Amino acid sequence: MRRDRNRLGPKPLRRALLAVLLPVTGLFPALAEEAPLPSADALFERYVEATGGRAAYEAVRNAVTEATMEMPAQGIAMKVTIWVARPNLSYARTESDVTGRIEKGTDGTVVWEKSVMTGPRVLEGQEREDYLRESAPDKFLRWRDYYESGEVTGVEDVAGRPCWVLVLTPRGGKPQTVYVDRESGLISKVAMTLDTKMGSVPVETWLEDYREFEGIKSALRARTKVVGQERVLTVTSIRRNVEIPPDRFALPAEIQALVAKRGAPPAAPAE
Amino acid sequence: MGRGIRAVVLAALCAAVLATPAEAGRGRKLTAAERDLEVESFDVVWTTIRDKHYDPALGGLDWEAIGGELRPRIERARTRAEARGVLRDLVGRLRQSHFQIIPAEVLEDMAQEVGEGSAGGDAGIDARVVGGKALVTSVAKGSPAERAGVLPGWEILRIGKFRAARLERIALEFEGRPHRELVLADAVLARLSGRIGERVTVRFRDGAGRPVRRDLVLAETRGARYRFGHVSNLHVWIETKRLEGNVGYVAFNGFLDPARVMPAFDEAMRSFLDAKGIVLDLRGNGGGMIPMAMGMAGWLIPEGDRYLGTLKLRETELKAIVSPRPETFAGPVAVLVDGLSVSCAEVLAGGLQDLGRARVFGTRTAGMVLGSSIEKLPSGDGFQYVFAGYVTSGGRKLEGAGVVPDVVAPPDRKALLAGGDPALDAASSWILRHGAETGEKENR
């Protein structure tokens, strides 16, 4: 079977990237068992088209996603709000009575985390790169900027449905596996290992119940299995091109103090 | 005090305490549908341990055989009490802390609105058993005990029908085991808590050696109410103050309610940056969430590559990293512990001790340090199970061993009656001595 990992088109249309929290949908029509494996570019291109098209993506300057995060077995629920804006800004806030507030974000250069429990922290190394990649608002259109390669390796079932297995190798990080529903083209599952300062954390996420939010389809629900516990993220709204306060992506004072203490910030990510 | 938190965080030994009168209907016969739920719960418990315990070999247990032995028993269970007995037998085979079956009635009882007649009542007495004698070690401000004139150092002779003399038998039974102090203290403290408005008669020996009787009407336990998943109305408090000699002092009863406890802790640490030393009083601390211990350590450790210990999970290992705050405290730190310092309290005390960042005072901790989760079973009972082992940064396993203090300083009746506190006094003296020595060196 053909494994076309190098067939890259120059068109930005072909440059799409997937996400864990905000996946979009729509790939090929059903392919026959014996059909050759598609290229990663081809998968992403169809993916973008089926979920709203390149024009819809390119029209997005920013987005605000609201969701609930539940740990059903433990009876814990959290409110999650994520702001993203071009070119590479993001800020996520998780709040609950159980855990207090947890914030994470980037101004495009410094990646940081501030939890009422653990305090402020500047992320570095692979942990920083992973966050920049996973939170990049334009990643669907520029996947090659974040991954060295993408290879479709075969077909596997996820929840009883055949899926293309797409192995993406990030720049400097561990490979992650994306399962794309062969019939619907939707991303059904993402499996990756995140390198954090605490250690390597295997994460599996199942993406379910795709809905259209302001012209782009996203999974309404993401079920994540991490260190043996299940978390369910349910999106309640996605608003695009809204007014976002100019300081939304500014570094909190404690992070600024940590950055100042460490000296110059790390280099900006590759454009 | 803090018993409610320990009851949640802890293991099978607390099951007896949890099996309060709230575990109603224990003698009622199960219907066929209820028995099915108990069997289903058994399967969930058995499977969860098989699949999620950090040690796939389960310490060498033949888990299949144990399941085969116990499942027929739960299929034959006639009452919920019998069914729970089988489940407790199953989780007890691991012989580890942080395994327990929490009756649904207890969870429901704790979830009731707090008020007259509800759970969450307390006399306001903290007590420890020293040399076979139950001593009042502190009395909460504004509590029924304080209003009744109870003082630290008084000896508890009898609570209702429970004679403190029985503690000797319990002490013998748990001789040599690290959680002996906890079992003994809980035998007393459990009887000083109950329903709000409940009257408890306590007989003491006062400071002059005279027998005195006090009728205490239990009031709501100290602290703010906090819900942790399936467990409601835990009471969490934090106390911060500056001791004589410019020594900062922080005490809290659990690593819970971070939205309230952490800002108070952070504010205290900021204000103590100029102090001669800091005392973290973790005596009686029932544990909770490890990230809070990590965040607290961030005020005390300036290096960015330190960690308190390692959680060992089946799939991976995670370090309890310390993220230094923009400003950190550089002076001496004393941590106070005792046999009722449990879980996260042991993580913080043992971690700081291994890193050479704190001197530990008091008595040996409970030795109950494992990562756990509390979930609901199909029957409605709560199920606490272990998914992570834990070792300190120095490679010490604290489960079953505890943190051994650098300076042993148990409570003492004479000192308590004189208004003293042996562990705190030793810690304060060490800090002030340390400060004086540092000052002398700087002057030289």
Side-chain angles (χ1 to χ4, degrees), chain B residues 47-245:
Chain B
T47 307
T48 300
I49 293 171
R50 181 196 64 185
D51 295 344
K52 294 191 174 178
H53 193 275
Y54 63 93
D55 174 13
L58 299 177
L61 292 174
D62 186 343
W63 201 237
E64 288 285 342
I66 290 169
E69 173 199 337
L70 296 180
R71 199 172 191 280
R73 276 178 50 196
I74 203 152
E75 287 168 353
R76 291 195 304 269
R78 288 167 301 177
T79 64
R80 288 202 87 171
E82 277 185 28
R84 283 172 186 148
V86 177
L87 290 175
R88 286 174 179 145
D89 188 353
L90 178 63
V91 301
R93 300 293 176 101
L94 277 297
R95 302 186 69 81
Q96 288 186 314
S97 68
H98 292 73
F99 274 109
Q100 67 176 329
I101 303 299
I102 308 170
E105 302 91 288
V106 170
L107 295 176
E108 287 159 14
D109 198 32
M110 290 177 79
Q112 297 294 314
E113 191 176 340
V114 176
E116 190 75 11
S118 77
D122 187 86
I125 290 174
D126 207 0
R128 298 292 184 271
V129 178
V130 183
K133 296 188 189 310
L135 297 179
V136 175
T137 52
S138 70
V139 178
K141 278 183 185 151
S143 67
E146 189 193 53
R147 287 196 296 273
V150 178
L151 293 169
W154 283 21
E155 182 185 344
I156 297 168
L157 304 173
R158 187 170 171 171
I159 307 167
K161 291 179 179 174
F162 176 79
R163 292 176 184 278
R166 284 167 57 187
L167 292 167
E168 284 180 23
R169 190 169 52 83
I170 301 173
L172 278 175
E173 193 180 331
F174 286 87
E175 185 69 48
R177 294 168 72 175
H179 57 276
R180 176 173 176 266
E181 188 181 343
L182 186 150
V183 176
L184 285 167
D186 264 353
V188 175
L189 296 172
R191 290 169 172 84
L192 292 168
S193 60
R195 301 199 165 271
I196 294 174
E198 187 181 338
R199 181 179 295 270
V200 177
T201 300
V202 188
R203 294 175 194 278
F204 301 92
R205 186 160 67 95
D206 72 7
R210 293 172 304 213
V212 293
R213 169 188 157 151
R214 293 288 184 273
D215 291 320
L216 306 173
V217 178
L218 303 185
E220 185 174 358
T221 304
R222 177 188 183 189
R225 297 168 202 162
Y226 170 71
R227 179 177 175 161
F228 184 70
H230 300 301
V231 188
S232 306
N233 290 321
L234 296 165
H235 287 76
V236 185
W237 56 261
I238 177 166
E239 178 185 350
T240 68
K241 60 188 174 187
R242 203 176 280 261
L243 304 174
E244 200 175 324

Side-chain angles (χ1 to χ4, degrees), chain B residues 95-411:
Chain B
R95 302 186 69 81
Q96 288 186 314
S97 68
H98 292 73
F99 274 109
Q100 67 176 329
I101 303 299
I102 308 170
E105 302 91 288
V106 170
L107 295 176
E108 287 159 14
D109 198 32
M110 290 177 79
Q112 297 294 314
E113 191 176 340
V114 176
E116 190 75 11
S118 77
D122 187 86
I125 290 174
D126 207 0
R128 298 292 184 271
V129 178
V130 183
K133 296 188 189 310
L135 297 179
V136 175
T137 52
S138 70
V139 178
K141 278 183 185 151
S143 67
E146 189 193 53
R147 287 196 296 273
V150 178
L151 293 169
W154 283 21
E155 182 185 344
I156 297 168
L157 304 173
R158 187 170 171 171
I159 307 167
K161 291 179 179 174
F162 176 79
R163 292 176 184 278
R166 284 167 57 187
L167 292 167
E168 284 180 23
R169 190 169 52 83
I170 301 173
L172 278 175
E173 193 180 331
F174 286 87
E175 185 69 48
R177 294 168 72 175
H179 57 276
R180 176 173 176 266
E181 188 181 343
L182 186 150
V183 176
L184 285 167
D186 264 353
V188 175
L189 296 172
R191 290 169 172 84
L192 292 168
S193 60
R195 301 199 165 271
I196 294 174
E198 187 181 338
R199 181 179 295 270
V200 177
T201 300
V202 188
R203 294 175 194 278
F204 301 92
R205 186 160 67 95
D206 72 7
R210 293 172 304 213
V212 293
R213 169 188 157 151
R214 293 288 184 273
D215 291 320
L216 306 173
V217 178
L218 303 185
E220 185 174 358
T221 304
R222 177 188 183 189
R225 297 168 202 162
Y226 170 71
R227 179 177 175 161
F228 184 70
H230 300 301
V231 188
S232 306
N233 290 321
L234 296 165
H235 287 76
V236 185
W237 56 261
I238 177 166
E239 178 185 350
T240 68
K241 60 188 174 187
R242 203 176 280 261
L243 304 174
E244 200 175 324
N246 192 19
V247 175
Y249 173 88
V250 183
F252 52 102
N253 68 331
F255 291 77
L256 294 171
D257 198 0
R260 212 177 49 79
V261 169
M262 288 307 294
F265 186 91
D266 294 348
E267 189 184 329
M269 287 296 129
R270 266 189 291 273
S271 75
F272 294 156
L273 287 172
D274 67 343
K276 287 189 176 161
I278 292 176
V279 175
L280 295 181
D281 190 347
L282 303 180
R283 291 176 295 180
N285 189 303
M289 294 185 273
I290 284 184
M292 288 177 69
M294 293 155 56
M296 289 174 177
W299 281 101
L300 307 172
I301 295 171
E303 298 89 357
D305 58 351
R306 301 291 195 267
Y307 60 98
L308 296 172
T310 304
L311 281 161
K312 293 180 176 290
L313 294 91
R314 192 171 284 198
E315 314 92 324
T316 189
E317 290 189 359
L318 296 175
K319 286 186 166 61
I321 58 166
V322 177
S323 302
R325 305 287 175 139
E327 285 187 284
T328 51
F329 177 72
V333 177
V335 178
L336 312 187
V337 296
D338 65 12
L340 280 71
S341 304
V342 168
S343 196
C344 254
E346 301 179 88
V347 166
L348 184 57
L352 293 175
Q353 189 181 45
D354 269 17
L355 291 169
R357 184 61 190 94
R359 197 163 170 79
V360 179
F361 297 77
T363 55
R364 186 165 73 160
T365 63
M368 304 178 118
V369 189
L370 293 167
S372 72
S373 178
I374 300 175
E375 299 182 2
K376 261 200 178 167
L377 295 171
S379 65
D381 284 352
F383 169 41
Q384 184 178 18
Y385 66 91
V386 170
F387 64 85
Y390 184 83
V391 292
T392 65
S393 56
R396 283 189 295 156
K397 195 172 123 184
L398 297 179
E399 171 76 5
V403 177
V404 178
D406 301 300
V407 178
V408 176

Side-chain angles (χ1 to χ4, degrees), chain A residues 109-135:
Chain A
T109 301
V110 175
V111 177
W112 58 274
E113 182 181 69
K114 186 173 162 227
S115 152
V116 73
M117 289 194 277
T118 56
R121 184 166 77 92
V122 175
L123 278 61
E124 294 175 321
Q126 194 54 50
E127 193 174 19
R128 172 180 177 273
E129 297 306 315
D130 285 347
Y131 184 80
L132 287 170
R133 183 185 67 241
E134 296 302 322
S135 64

